[in-house]
Structure formats: structure tokens, C-alpha cells
Amino acid sequence: MSNTTPRVRELNLYRQYFDLVTAGTKTIEVRVKYPHLADLAAGDVIRFRIKGTDETCEVEVKRVTEYRDFEALLEGEGSSNVNPTATHHEQLANIRAIYPPEKEALGTLAIEIRLLD
């Protein structure tokens, strides 16, 4: 039996996506493959925070999959798992409004998550 404690990462999340995570309807988080996320792995915990507030929720990382760009990520993961309230094209536009082309060029990560109690 292992006594290792999972690594906890803190990441900011916009209110609309935070609410989807806490409702359990958003099961894939989308991020750019920044160096500080390169070693993110199944079993890690992410503490999402709404920037400027004390509101947080914790999720377990179930899987991390790398894609060349956001289009491939949405096709591979299914848009409804990323944001069930927006169409594929709306999501692509929203994600690219957050991450400009030079960031997307770093690679993209689909992080499958499960809300912790």
C-alpha cells in the first residue's frame, strides 16, 4: 500500500467553466501545454479557483492527452465533454480568444477530470 499524497496544482478557471465543473457536466479541461503542466498525470489533483475569489473546487486528473491544436482536441474528445452548453464552433472561438496562436502552437492538453467530494 502506498502512502504517497497526490500532487496538487492550482489553476484559475472562468466562472462559466467553474460552474460546469462543479455541476459535473464538464469532464474535459482544456489547456495549453505550458512547461509547468508538462508532467501533469493521472492521479494528480487540480484545485480550480475563480480568480480574485476564495471559491475553489478540486478534481482528480483521470487522464491527460496531448493534441497538436484545439481543433484536433475538440474532435478527439467531443465538444460536449469540454462544454455542453456551446457548439463545437463556439467553443473553438472561445478557446482561441483565451489562447492566441503562439500559445496554441505549444501544443494542447485535454485533461479528463472527476470532481472530488
Side-chain angles (χ1 to χ4, degrees):
M1 184 176 230
S2 174
N3 289 332
T4 57
T5 305
R7 294 180 301 175
V8 178
R9 311 286 182 105
E10 280 217 16
L11 299 174
N12 289 321
L13 202 57
Y14 289 111
R15 161 67 67 193
Q16 68 188 55
Y17 304 119
F18 183 91
D19 290 345
L20 293 171
V21 169
T22 59
T25 57
K26 178 177 174 57
T27 59
I28 301 291
E29 173 60 10
V30 174
R31 295 287 165 145
V32 164
K33 188 181 174 188
Y34 290 121
H36 74 278
L37 295 177
D39 65 344
L40 188 66
D44 289 348
V45 171
I46 298 172
R47 181 177 301 121
F48 287 121
R49 175 179 305 280
I50 298 173
K51 193 172 185 173
T53 76
D54 292 331
E55 287 184 78
T56 63
C57 71
E58 290 187 351
V59 298
E60 176 189 11
V61 174
K62 310 259 308 156
R63 168 181 60 87
V64 180
T65 303
E66 185 175 350
Y67 290 91
R68 72 182 179 279
D69 58 29
F70 294 124
E71 180 74 37
L73 186 153
L74 289 174
E75 288 174 10
E77 298 295 330
S79 298
S80 64
N81 295 317
V82 176
N83 181 351
T85 67
T87 68
H88 175 91
H89 295 292
E90 290 170 334
Q91 287 184 60
L92 192 57
N94 290 341
I95 293 167
R96 286 183 169 153
I98 296 168
Y99 297 112
E102 64 271 15
K103 300 295 184 186
E104 185 174 0
L106 297 172
T108 64
L109 299 176
I111 306 165
E112 184 178 358
I113 56 174
R114 179 184 68 83
L115 185 63
L116 296 173
D117 296 329

